[in-house]
Amino acid sequence: MTVSDRSKQSRKIDFFGFLVERFPLDKMNIKHMLEHKEVPVHKMSWGYYTGGLTMFFFMIQVVTGLFLLFYYQPTVSDANLSVEYITKYVSAGALIRNMHAWSASGMILSAVVHLITAFAMKSFEKPRELTWILGVVLLVITFTFGFTGYLLPWNQIAVNATKVGLQSVEDVGQYLPGLLHDVPRILRETFQGEASVGQSTLGRFYALHVVLLPLALVLLLAGHLLQVQLHGMSEGVDMKAAKTERFFPVFLFKDLTLWGVFFFILFTLSICIPFESFLPYPLLAPYDALGATPAGIKPEWYFFFVYYPLELLPFWVIILLSGMVGAILVLTPWIFAGTSRKVLGFIASLVSVYLIVMTVFGEQIYHLLKH
Amino acid sequence: MRTINNRAIQIDLLKSRLSKHFWFGSISSIFLLSCFVSKADSYPQFQEFSEKNSGRSVNCAMCHTSGDGPTGEGPGQIGSLKAEEIARLNSARAALEPGSQVESPILNDFGNLIIKSLGKRKVLALRDEPAQLSIALGNRSDLDKDGICDGQEYLDGTDPLNAEHGDPLKLFRINLSKYKLHICLALLAVASISFGIVRLLKAIEILAAVRRS
């Protein structure tokens, strides 16, 4: 056997070992995953609830989305009318639509908080690398849900913001080398489906939003949850927690109670504040291809952290930074393997401050620096 | 000279749209139109004030049928009006005093309400003090029935014809009071379900323990 053969065989064994460690068959039973599972109790224990909360908002999305499917028409001529019909004439239509919109924001917010707390608690440590990577992919899918869903009401802000978004995707190509140069353009053409954002785009975004993305999310979520149940909750703090509580029924009950509290908050918000009331009404008018583009076109609030820097900095800087952040996120389990939780907590705090400042004050910062 | 020519062309355009039966009765209206039509009656002072006061983008759709204003050939714009609609437009333009039943095709319900309740003369006078429009309208009218009166929606830069659009904080206060029964019922339902789930989880745990033993 040559050295290279030996090396290949050893790599195969390593990979097999890696998989066995992440999917231990002996632990795949109710006893291990439910009855004997313990959850550490410490000052960061609240972080364990953020994942469940994200799942709760996803479930609300599915249920309210199914109701909306009964009436929504994915055609450029009827999309806006059907949304108006749902809001004005369908029994509890406005409430369902508002719950869908509010819970979409809730899902993205809780997913981001979950990622940041998981990072600060070092929940990506061996053998939880797959849990982390699946979580990152789930977050990307969640953002894509937001992007595709934004177009569906077919109003001024929806179509114009989608045009800007798709154009930005294509613009990435000019900074990519070789064969990669054409990939963003092909992606844009694939999702847009015609020369400009139109019926094909709406159809494709609709298919993505209601079929492909939910399917992908459910499959990946199943993998993510399986990993969480197999490996248990991470310690979360440097010192081993003095106290633990049983996952079933103690933690599960607390989790469900929190879902109840958030359902009540969501219901109250949805019945009291229509989500669209935050936008200027000219942006909510049906899209008019021949009319003037109204002022104030911008993406949903959860894209502000990248939108305002995009308006202020050269495009290549944003691409470079986005690429770096993406790579760091995927490689986090290996890059930060030896980093202490104190340092991770500091990095997580910095990221949180950046996200909050850009989301809340991004517009003011933009005007301050531009004028 | 150019303005006069433009005015003449626009009058000719309008004339051609008038029906045969209506034509003779409309000479006086055409005369009136010749006074106004050179620049369609959009008063940007109100839009500018609403925008400045609220910090929100506002467009002509607050009072007009078309978001791009009354001038043009699009739906709800002067260039696309039929004879019967021009008659309604004329009657709205002649409504100088409050109380007239007007239904201008270039105005939406809010625009028509302004003309009905204030009269054209007052609207023209208010152009210099656009803030006074809200006071002049009073707080009796709420076309979209969202609980925020139309005058206040004008100040807030929100859509007075859409119940789903208004100042978020005001809507929250109004709807909280309006739907307090629904909210109490939701609270009761959530509490009952939580109570039921606790009992269910405990029962499952006890059953599991019994089975184990």
Side-chain angles (χ1 to χ4, degrees):
Chain A
M1 193 182 270
T2 63
V3 177
S4 119
D5 285 343
R6 253 185 240 150
S7 151
K8 266 184 196 169
Q9 199 173 359
S10 137
R11 248 182 278 156
K12 264 184 197 169
I13 291 166
D14 281 354
F15 181 67
F16 187 68
F18 178 88
L19 281 183
V20 166
E21 211 172 337
R22 269 82 200 161
F23 296 98
L25 291 174
D26 58 315
K27 288 182 178 175
M28 284 190 197
N29 54 60
I30 297 285
K31 203 168 263 183
H32 175 82
M33 286 162 55
L34 209 64
E35 285 178 12
H36 293 169
K37 189 179 169 183
E38 294 282 328
V39 180
V41 179
H42 48 72
K43 61 175 182 177
M44 285 292 286
S45 289
W46 61 268
Y48 296 129
Y49 296 94
T50 53
L53 206 55
T54 311
M55 200 172 85
F56 161 74
F57 282 122
F58 174 64
M59 283 154 61
I60 295 284
Q61 286 284 287
V62 172
V63 174
T64 53
L66 283 173
F67 280 124
L68 293 174
L69 271 183
F70 290 140
Y71 294 97
Y72 178 73
Q73 301 287 324
T75 60
V76 293
S77 55
D78 292 344
N80 193 268
L81 276 175
S82 64
V83 170
E84 194 181 328
Y85 181 79
I86 290 168
T87 313
K88 283 189 181 167
Y89 303 108
V90 175
S91 194
L95 174 68
I96 297 289
R97 193 170 163 235
N98 283 327
M99 282 184 88
H100 195 71
W102 276 106
S103 60
S105 287
M107 184 178 167
I108 289 177
L109 179 67
S110 52
V112 171
V113 173
H114 181 51
L115 182 100
I116 292 172
T117 48
F119 179 82
M121 291 163 78
K122 212 175 180 180
S123 302
F124 49 78
E125 256 187 326
K126 191 182 171 187
R128 298 186 178 85
E129 300 94 331
L130 275 182
T131 321
W132 174 266
I133 292 169
L134 284 171
V136 171
V137 180
L138 283 168
L139 184 72
V140 173
I141 291 178
T142 307
F143 275 106
T144 317
F145 259 119
F147 184 61
T148 51
Y150 205 43
L151 179 69
L152 303 188
W154 204 254
N155 52 31
Q156 290 283 11
I157 193 165
V159 180
N160 287 300
T162 305
K163 279 182 181 175
V164 176
L166 286 172
Q167 187 56 49
S168 304
V169 171
E170 182 168 339
D171 290 346
V172 174
Q174 59 188 303
Y175 300 100
L176 297 179
L179 285 172
L180 289 174
H181 181 79
D182 286 333
V183 173
R185 181 185 55 77
I186 294 166
L187 268 178
R188 184 222 160 130
E189 283 172 2
T190 308
F191 290 119
Q192 194 165 293
E194 54 188 300
S196 181
V197 172
Q199 180 55 57
S200 303
T201 324
L202 181 62
R204 287 167 198 211
F205 271 50
Y206 178 69
L208 278 169
H209 192 75
V210 305
V211 183
L212 292 176
L213 290 174
L215 270 179
L217 195 132
V218 166
L219 285 175
L220 292 172
L221 186 63
H224 187 73
L225 289 176
L226 178 70
Q227 285 288 301
V228 172
Q229 293 306 102
L230 281 175
H231 302 298
M233 305 297 201
S234 68
E235 276 301 322
V237 285
D238 285 329
M239 298 282 284
K240 195 170 167 63
K243 209 175 140 195
T244 60
E245 62 188 11
R246 291 172 64 194
F247 176 78
F248 182 84
V250 183
F251 180 83
L252 193 61
F253 164 65
K254 285 184 185 173
D255 217 6
L256 293 176
T257 307
L258 192 72
W259 289 17
V261 172
F262 271 87
F263 178 82
F264 178 68
I265 294 170
L266 179 69
F267 178 85
T268 308
L269 275 177
S270 305
I271 206 167
C272 292
I273 311 178
F275 196 77
E276 286 185 341
S277 62
F278 290 97
L279 291 169
Y281 69 82
L283 301 180
L284 304 172
Y287 174 65
D288 176 10
L290 302 173
T293 308
I297 298 293
K298 56 185 174 185
E300 275 278 37
W301 65 269
Y302 39 78
F303 287 115
F304 285 179
F305 75 96
V306 67
Y307 171 71
Y308 286 115
L310 200 61
E311 293 285 305
L312 289 167
L313 300 169
F315 194 54
W316 66 266
V317 176
I318 302 299
I319 294 171
L320 193 70
L321 288 174
S322 306
M324 279 165 62
V325 169
I328 290 171
L329 272 176
V330 173
L331 299 173
T332 286
W334 296 278
I335 296 174
F336 297 102
T339 313
S340 72
R341 283 192 173 85
K342 205 172 176 182
V343 175
L344 292 177
F346 179 69
I347 297 171
S349 307
L350 283 182
V351 171
S352 307
V353 168
Y354 168 76
L355 291 176
I356 293 168
V357 168
M358 285 318 282
T359 305
V360 181
F361 305 109
E363 195 170 356
Q364 285 93 323
I365 293 170
Y366 168 74
H367 288 301
L368 198 75
L369 296 176
K370 271 280 174 184
H371 307 294
Chain B
M1 189 66 190
R2 199 176 161 191
T3 317
I4 296 167
N5 283 342
N6 281 345
R7 195 178 292 175
I9 292 165
Q10 281 167 318
I11 292 169
D12 282 344
L13 267 172
L14 286 173
K15 273 183 189 170
S16 68
R17 288 199 177 90
L18 292 174
S19 71
K20 200 165 65 180
H21 303 292
F22 188 74
W23 200 90
F24 295 106
S26 301
I27 294 171
S28 56
S29 306
I30 292 167
F31 173 74
L32 259 175
L33 269 178
S34 67
C35 303
F36 292 112
V37 124
S38 60
K39 180 76 183 162
D41 306 11
S42 62
Y43 306 122
Q45 296 89 341
F46 298 110
Q47 182 186 335
E48 282 161 14
F49 168 76
S50 183
E51 230 163 16
K52 201 174 167 188
N53 191 58
S54 64
R56 280 172 173 250
S57 301
V58 171
N59 69 358
C60 304
M62 180 171 269
C63 303
H64 288 90
T65 311
S66 166
D68 294 331
T71 318
E73 301 281 324
Q77 293 182 316
I78 291 177
S80 71
L81 297 183
K82 294 180 184 115
E84 178 269 331
E85 289 171 325
I86 289 173
R88 282 196 279 129
L89 174 68
N90 291 338
S91 111
R93 280 173 166 168
L96 295 174
E97 299 306 324
S100 317
Q101 280 304 312
V102 289
E103 255 187 84
S104 170
I106 61 163
L107 295 178
N108 62 22
D109 288 350
F110 182 53
N112 278 315
L113 174 92
I114 294 172
I115 300 294
K116 269 181 216 169
S117 50
L118 303 180
K120 181 111 182 186
R121 199 190 305 277
K122 177 85 172 168
V123 174
L124 292 172
L126 284 173
R127 282 181 303 175
D128 298 329
E129 291 177 287
Q132 298 297 313
L133 177 65
S134 164
I135 298 163
L137 283 172
N139 54 9
R140 279 166 301 171
S141 167
D142 178 14
L143 289 168
D144 57 7
K145 295 185 174 52
D146 61 358
I148 305 173
C149 64
D150 299 328
Q152 187 60 49
E153 296 230 42
Y154 162 69
L155 291 177
D156 294 341
T158 55
D159 189 350
L161 299 174
N162 181 358
E164 290 290 300
H165 200 262
D167 178 74
L169 208 60
K170 288 191 184 101
L171 281 180
F172 180 70
R173 280 201 297 265
I174 292 162
N175 288 331
L176 196 63
S177 159
K178 191 172 164 185
Y179 295 115
K180 52 182 178 283
L181 180 66
H182 298 74
I183 292 166
C184 287
L185 285 174
L187 183 63
L188 196 67
V190 168
S192 309
I193 292 169
S194 291
F195 181 79
I197 287 175
V198 181
R199 293 289 171 277
L200 186 70
L201 287 180
K202 279 189 176 164
I204 293 171
E205 193 197 11
I206 292 165
L207 276 174
V210 167
R211 198 169 286 176
R212 272 199 303 272
S213 64

